């Protein structure tokens, strides 16, 4: 069998039904094999970066590795931002790049790039093939590596001649690695952790994206309920703890809810589940760790003590560990703590008054998409709109909130929406929230969205600025705005319409309510441009102080 | 403080780059590095010497341990391990002082591996301190060139790097 056919067969064996990509000379043999494969849906994007983001979105939604392919040289380098985005958020992905024929390697041949070297620091693993015999085992292993332990992107760079080489196809059973039983030491640490939780006066749980990846939502809820623990989430953890649950305090961090940030700042014990204590979550580390102890649960042992020194570190399967932590009868007394927490919740409750600003727009979206029998996923780009969405759009289930947390990639939203929508098909519909800056980065994917007739509702928050940059220039550069305001007006509605997509301009809250409800009714691609004045995302914590010290605007 | 780490890896192209790249990505610095194929030849052994506080040691072990091609990571304790590196020193000599120089070399168990009318090359193995003392004594004669290999480290007694070969699936720690 030809190498290219073996690769396609292997993809099929790994349950791959959708591939995103873009053609070019060195990857064409694989395209030829894909053409003949009816069970795999190939999605042609308008740019390789988008193919990577779309595969990433597909993976975040499905929990399976997303697959994208590109040609050598410029095709491969265009993937880089998408690979780095997936890497930072621990998203399983298999990336296949074509490479110049092995006989031309190392001669600066046409469209030759060392993509293996370029992507080494942003992949979980990568394969550079020396012999055609290694092709198939590499593809098989790539899936195993991408989806085991802490998940991440894996790249395979394939010289063109290997696609033509004769290889033997051997079906390899995909073995799900079973977690080893926890060892004796581990059980002792878990027991110590329970003691610590029960002794704590002001304990709090931080739920991170790792709980979603570890499929441990139920365990997390039972764990928090059992010990009556308040829960905040990280940006990546939004949705894992139902946002209407009485124990939920909101999202914490640089732009987190005040009640949530106060709770974290005043806690004496932090139980972090699947969170890597990123700097957007902690702010100033010295202030953050002051007077606290930490129990850190993560699948990746290298995360324990990387950013925050913990008293107890438990590395392994999130489900198993949370179950272990639930084995005793609680005796803690957190009543006084809850009185404090409830006060903050009341004091800092957001007052939605229906005025025409982004928080009210997000609140309306939240109310609409969380109605009974409605099932929506929210995908954001990066900027103020992302933070407003995180603050005001309630999520109740894992894998219904998608955002670029680690890399903060503008342009992630639209292509990722395409991946998410393709996975959810008719079961769940995507609302994409972008800024007018972000949409200009990968807006060409409106072409793909229209071509596939995906019923994504894309909401552009048009503040005629790079709002988040403007905000930083206000706070740190004495309101000297530079390169953050768009003096040249663009007609986003016409832009969307040029792809054949229905688009609406909105100038008031009433407009928005009408247009958005209407968009929900129609099952087709739509773009809504919310033309709105410039503003600032509050709260914002002061990075030099504790996470409950806020910037005044 | 100076630390020595032995890393057993699959003997494949790119693996050294992966290990070294990981270290530089984390902004840690390497003092010395040596790599060689082991017996059996399916593996290579990398010895890394580096300086740093407990945090860096901990992260070096964990981050390197994460790399799929790494099969074992062993941190050495100077008391329980033998450290060795080789140095070649080229020193200027003449008929008058050649004997003096050779005497010094004998004291340090350095071997002359090349003898010319105006120069001598010595080979010396051992720990850094010994090599430094040797070169200090030779300096007045005029050292023309010094070259050092990276150091290697091996645990004394029964323990071998293979004891570390099975990576733990679960990891827990407690400092209460
Ligand atoms: C690819 C990329 N380039 C630059 C940045 C830096 N950056 C962060 S937010 C932002 C502005 C985003 O503007 P917009 O999409 O209009 O959203 P807004 O903040 O106005 O809601 C920029 C430039 C980034 N995150 N990603």
């Amino acid at each position: 069998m030809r190498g290219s056919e073996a690769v396609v067969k292997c993809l099929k064996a790994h349950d791959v039904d959708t591939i995103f990509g873009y053609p070019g000379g060195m990857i064409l043999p694989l395209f030829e094999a894909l053409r003949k494969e009816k069970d795999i849906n190939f999605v042609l994007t308008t740019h390789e970066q988008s193919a990577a983001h779309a595969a990433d979105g597909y993976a975040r939604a499905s929990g399976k590795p997303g697959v994208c392919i590109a040609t050598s040289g410029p095709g491969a380098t265009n993937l880089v931002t998408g690979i780095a985005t997936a890497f930072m958020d621990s998203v399983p992905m298999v990336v296949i790049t074509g490479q110049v024929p092995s006989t031309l390697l190392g001669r600066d041949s046409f469209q030759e790039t060392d993509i293996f070297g370029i992507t080494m620091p942003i992949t979980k693993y990568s394969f550079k093939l020396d012999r055609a015999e290694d092709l198939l085992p590499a593809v098989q292993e790539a899936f195993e590596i991408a989806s085991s332990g802490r998940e991440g992107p894996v790249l395979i760079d394939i010289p063109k001649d290997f696609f033509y080489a004769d290889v033997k196809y051997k079906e390899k059973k995909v073995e799900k690695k079973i977690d080893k039983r926890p060892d004796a030491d581990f059980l002792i640490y878990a027991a110590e952790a329970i003691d610590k939780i029960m002794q704590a006066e002001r304990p709090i749980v931080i739920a991170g994206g790792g709980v979603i990846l570890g499929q441990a939502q139920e365990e997390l809820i039972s764990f928090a309920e059992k010990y009556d623990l308040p829960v905040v989430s990280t940006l990546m953890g939004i949705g894992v703890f139902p946002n209407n649950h009485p124990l939920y305090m909101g999202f914490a961090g640089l732009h987190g809810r005040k009640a949530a940030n106060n709770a974290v700042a005043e806690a004496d014990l932090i139980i972090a589940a699947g969170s890597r204590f990123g700097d957007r979550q902690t702010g100033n580390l010295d202030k953050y760790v002051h007077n606290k102890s930490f129990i850190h649960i993560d699948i990746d042992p290298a995360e324990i003590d990387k950013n925050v020194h913990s008293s107890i570190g438990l590395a392994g399967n999130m489900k198993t560990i949370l179950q272990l932590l639930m084995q005793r009868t609680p005796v803690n007394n957190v009543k006084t703590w809850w009185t404090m927490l409830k006060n903050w919740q009341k004091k800092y409750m957001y007052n939605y008054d229906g005025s025409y600003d982004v928080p009210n727009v997000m609140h309306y979206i939240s109310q609409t998409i969380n109605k009974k029998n409605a099932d929506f996923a929210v995908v954001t780009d990066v900027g103020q709109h992302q933070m407003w969405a995180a603050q005001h759009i309630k999520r109740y289930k894992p894998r219904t909130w998608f955002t670029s947390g680690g890399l903060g990639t503008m342009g992630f939203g639209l292509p990722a929406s395409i991946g998410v929508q393709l996975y959810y098909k008719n079961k769940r519909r995507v609302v994409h929230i972008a800024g007018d800056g972000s949409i200009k980065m990968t807006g060409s994917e409106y072409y793909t969205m229209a071509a596939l007739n995906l019923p994504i509702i894309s909401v552009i928050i048009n503040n005629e600025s790079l709002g988040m940059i403007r905000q930083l220039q206000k706070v740190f550069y004495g309101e000297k705005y530079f390169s953050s305001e768009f003096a040249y007006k663009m007609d986003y509605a016409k832009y969307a319409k040029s792809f054949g997509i229905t688009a609406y301009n909105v100038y008031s809250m009433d407009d928005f309510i009408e247009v958005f409800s209407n968009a929900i009714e129609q099952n087709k691609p739509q773009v809504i441009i919310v033309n709105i004045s410039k503003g600032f995302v509050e709260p914002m914590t002061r990075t030099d102080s504790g996470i409950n010290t806020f910037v005044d605007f | 403080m100076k630390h020595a780490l032995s890393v057993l890896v699959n003997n494949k192209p790119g693996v050294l780059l992966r290990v070294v790249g990981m270290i530089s990505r984390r902004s840690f610095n390497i003092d010395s590095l040596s790599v060689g194929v082991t017996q059996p030849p399916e593996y290579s052994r990398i010895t890394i010497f580096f300086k740093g506080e407990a945090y860096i040691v901990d992260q070096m072990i964990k981050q390197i341990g994460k790399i799929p091609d790494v099969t074992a990571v062993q941190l050495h304790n100077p008391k329980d391990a033998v450290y060795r590196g080789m140095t070649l020193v080229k020193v200027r000599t003449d008929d008058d002082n050649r004997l003096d120089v050779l005497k010094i070399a004998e004291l340090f168990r350095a071997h002359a591996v090349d003898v010319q009318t105006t120069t001598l090359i010595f080979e010396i193995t051992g720990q850094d301190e010994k090599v430094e003392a040797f070169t200090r004594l030779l300096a007045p004669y005029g050292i023309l060139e010094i070259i050092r290999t990276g150091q290697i480290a091996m645990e004394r007694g029964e323990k071998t790097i293979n004891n570390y070969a099975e990576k733990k699936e679960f990891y827990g720690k407690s400092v209460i």
Side-chain angles (χ1 to χ4, degrees):
Chain A
M1 186 185 299
R2 280 201 172 173
S4 54
E5 287 161 2
V7 171
V8 171
K9 230 178 145 180
C10 178
L11 294 173
K12 240 181 92 174
H14 281 88
D15 209 16
V16 174
D17 52 20
T18 311
I19 296 180
F20 304 87
Y22 207 86
M26 302 308 149
I27 192 84
L28 267 185
L30 187 61
F31 274 74
E32 172 58 13
L34 277 171
R35 179 179 69 82
K36 295 185 202 144
E37 179 49 68
K38 296 286 170 280
D39 293 343
I40 295 180
N41 178 23
F42 178 79
V43 178
L44 174 68
T45 54
T46 64
H47 190 291
E48 288 88 353
Q49 180 185 345
S50 298
H53 288 324
D56 174 329
Y58 191 90
R60 288 183 203 231
S62 65
K64 302 189 293 187
V67 181
C68 60
I69 63 178
T71 196
S72 66
T77 53
N78 269 351
L79 291 172
V80 169
T81 304
I83 299 173
T85 304
F87 181 69
M88 291 294 279
D89 289 343
S90 308
V91 178
M93 208 153 102
V94 172
V95 182
I96 298 176
T97 48
Q99 182 54 280
V100 300
S102 52
T103 46
L104 290 180
L105 269 173
R107 296 162 186 262
D108 299 324
S109 311
F110 178 63
Q111 297 193 328
E112 179 185 356
T113 323
D114 177 16
I115 197 65
F116 174 79
I118 290 174
T119 57
M120 189 172 282
I122 52 165
T123 50
K124 187 174 172 194
Y125 196 72
S126 40
F127 292 90
K128 184 179 189 169
L129 302 175
D130 298 318
R131 305 175 312 168
E133 301 96 278
D134 297 337
L135 174 57
L136 198 62
V139 180
Q140 282 163 336
E141 215 179 309
F143 278 89
E144 245 172 71
I145 295 175
S147 54
S148 62
R150 179 179 186 163
E151 298 168 315
V154 176
L155 180 133
I156 316 157
D157 194 33
I158 306 177
K160 187 176 185 180
D161 49 329
F162 292 3
F163 284 125
Y164 293 118
D166 194 25
V167 305
K168 274 202 198 69
Y169 183 80
K170 257 208 312 229
E171 178 96 35
K172 200 180 148 211
K173 281 266 165 296
V174 195
E175 285 168 42
K176 259 253 174 270
K177 279 202 188 126
I178 307 156
D179 288 313
K180 290 209 182 118
R181 290 282 91 199
D183 58 24
D185 281 354
F186 194 90
L187 291 174
I188 293 169
Y189 302 141
E192 283 173 354
I194 304 177
D195 282 343
K196 234 176 159 19
I197 294 166
M198 297 213 268
Q199 284 155 17
E201 288 172 7
R202 297 182 309 280
I204 193 155
V205 177
I206 298 183
V211 184
I212 301 174
L213 298 172
Q215 295 169 12
Q217 182 191 36
E218 276 173 40
E219 286 77 7
L220 183 73
I221 296 171
S222 318
F223 168 70
E225 284 174 349
K226 174 149 195 167
Y227 299 102
D228 203 15
L229 302 169
V231 178
V232 300
S233 78
T234 67
L235 181 66
M236 294 304 293
I238 289 178
V240 74
F241 211 81
N243 288 185
N244 56 349
H245 194 289
L247 295 175
Y248 189 62
M249 300 291 298
F251 131 73
L254 180 68
H255 291 291
R257 295 309 278 277
K258 279 191 178 173
N261 276 17
N262 269 316
V264 173
E266 295 297 329
D268 62 354
L269 172 69
I270 287 182
I271 305 141
S275 160
R276 58 190 174 85
F277 292 110
D279 53 294
R280 295 286 131 144
Q281 180 66 210
T282 64
N284 179 306
L285 263 184
D286 291 336
K287 301 239 163 62
Y288 186 75
V289 301
H290 188 64
N291 278 337
K292 286 190 202 337
S293 50
F294 293 86
I295 296 173
H296 194 175
I297 311 168
D298 204 286
I299 194 160
D300 180 359
E303 282 307 325
I304 312 273
D305 292 345
K306 188 186 80 183
N307 290 346
V308 158
H309 188 79
S310 55
S311 303
I312 298 172
L314 301 169
N317 181 295
M318 185 65 60
K319 260 177 180 298
T320 321
I321 295 172
L322 288 172
Q323 276 159 2
L324 275 180
L325 293 182
M326 278 187 271
Q327 285 178 346
R328 296 236 300 271
T329 320
V331 288
N332 57 348
N333 188 354
V334 287
K335 276 214 182 74
T336 342
W337 179 221
W338 267 111
T339 318
M340 277 166 89
L341 296 166
K342 288 256 155 64
N343 274 338
W344 285 322
Q345 270 178 329
K346 221 159 71 208
K347 184 167 167 201
Y348 296 120
M349 192 137 73
Y350 199 88
N351 177 27
Y352 298 104
D353 59 3
S355 54
Y356 186 52
D357 58 18
V358 189
N360 276 291
V361 167
M362 297 295 172
H363 180 60
Y364 181 77
I365 294 176
S366 178
Q367 284 182 320
T368 315
I369 67 175
N370 285 318
K371 282 209 176 106
K372 264 217 175 76
N373 302 328
D375 205 349
F376 285 88
V378 175
V379 184
T380 80
D381 265 291
V382 169
Q384 291 181 321
H385 60 279
Q386 174 193 30
M387 291 301 130
W388 272 313
Q391 291 171 348
H392 300 287
I393 300 184
K394 291 195 159 54
R395 303 283 62 207
Y396 302 90
K397 292 177 201 155
R399 303 190 193 274
T400 62
W401 164 258
F402 304 97
T403 200
S404 165
L407 200 67
T409 311
M410 284 172 76
F412 166 81
L414 183 56
S417 296
I418 290 172
V420 173
Q421 189 66 74
L422 277 167
Y423 174 70
Y424 284 135
K425 302 206 168 70
N426 311 327
K427 291 188 283 285
R428 188 174 271 166
R429 201 168 161 196
V430 171
V431 175
H432 162 230
I433 294 170
D436 49 330
S438 295
I439 200 64
K440 289 211 261 311
M441 291 223 167
T442 50
S444 57
E445 293 312 324
Y446 280 143
Y447 177 86
T448 314
M449 174 170 130
L452 299 174
N453 197 26
L454 296 174
I456 296 165
I457 304 175
S458 177
V459 179
I460 304 176
I461 304 294
N462 179 19
N463 51 12
E464 290 177 13
S465 63
L466 299 171
M468 192 55 100
I469 299 302
R470 217 179 147 263
Q471 174 150 354
L472 293 174
Q473 287 174 340
K474 176 182 167 82
V475 177
F476 298 110
Y477 299 89
E479 298 184 54
K480 300 278 184 289
Y481 301 126
F482 179 66
S483 295
S484 57
E485 297 181 330
F486 300 130
Y488 184 77
K489 279 204 190 352
M490 164 169 171
D491 192 334
Y492 295 93
K494 269 197 185 145
Y495 178 61
K497 281 176 187 164
S498 74
F499 295 100
I501 298 170
T502 324
Y504 310 89
N505 267 304
V506 161
Y507 298 95
S508 72
M509 202 62 198
D510 287 343
D511 274 3
F512 181 72
I513 290 173
E514 191 189 320
V515 166
F516 193 76
S517 348
N518 179 44
I520 299 265
E521 298 303 315
Q522 299 171 41
N523 201 36
K524 56 175 195 182
Q526 279 162 101
V527 174
I528 302 173
I529 299 105
V530 179
N531 299 288
I532 208 148
S533 58
K534 302 173 177 61
F536 299 106
V537 184
E538 288 185 79
M540 174 181 181
T541 66
R542 299 203 68 96
T543 36
D544 47 350
S545 355
I547 56 160
N548 57 345
T549 326
F550 301 95
V551 176
D552 277 330
F553 282 92
Chain B
M1 211 179 103
K2 206 163 159 183
H3 310 280
L5 210 60
S6 283
V7 185
L8 200 63
V9 301
N10 292 331
N11 181 11
K12 286 205 308 207
V15 176
L16 179 64
L17 184 58
R18 222 180 279 281
V19 173
V20 173
M22 197 294 302
I23 296 170
S24 84
R25 177 152 65 91
R26 299 277 163 195
S27 275
F28 303 147
N29 196 24
I30 295 175
D31 282 348
S32 106
L33 180 86
S34 62
V35 195
V37 174
T38 64
Q39 188 50 248
E42 287 82 57
Y43 298 107
S44 283
R45 182 165 171 152
I46 305 175
T47 317
I48 303 164
F49 276 76
F50 63 100
K51 286 195 213 57
E53 29 177 307
Y55 169 78
I56 293 181
V57 178
D58 183 60
Q59 277 293 303
M60 284 282 275
I61 296 172
K62 288 175 180 169
Q63 297 289 354
I64 293 174
K66 254 167 72 164
I67 301 169
D69 282 316
V70 171
T71 53
V73 183
Q74 181 183 26
L75 178 71
H76 299 286
N77 179 340
K79 287 200 303 287
D80 304 327
V82 179
Y83 295 172
R84 284 292 180 279
M86 191 174 90
T87 305
L88 293 179
V89 189
K90 187 186 287 181
V91 62
R92 196 184 286 289
T93 54
D94 53 34
D95 293 343
D96 294 339
N97 63 21
R98 186 169 296 118
L99 271 181
D100 297 347
V101 173
L102 285 168
K103 273 233 174 68
I104 295 172
E106 205 184 320
L107 277 174
F108 281 87
R109 295 209 183 102
H111 304 287
V113 290
D114 182 67
V115 184
Q116 306 282 338
T117 47
T118 57
T119 59
L120 279 171
I121 297 179
F122 289 108
E123 166 196 308
I124 178 169
T125 62
Q127 298 201 20
D128 282 353
E129 297 75 38
K130 176 177 160 191
V131 176
E132 270 150 30
F134 179 58
T135 51
R136 212 168 29 242
L137 286 176
L138 289 188
Y141 300 94
I143 293 177
L144 293 171
E145 206 174 357
I146 293 182
I147 177 168
R148 282 185 175 186
T149 63
Q151 295 225 4
I152 49 176
M154 187 181 270
E155 207 77 1
R156 298 175 196 274
E158 293 273 324
K159 211 155 55 166
T160 73
I161 193 162
N162 301 318
N163 299 137
Y164 295 77
E166 201 184 316
K167 276 197 261 173
K168 274 194 178 177
E169 285 278 314
F170 279 92
Y171 170 89
K173 69 123 198 182
S174 152
V175 292
I176 332 176

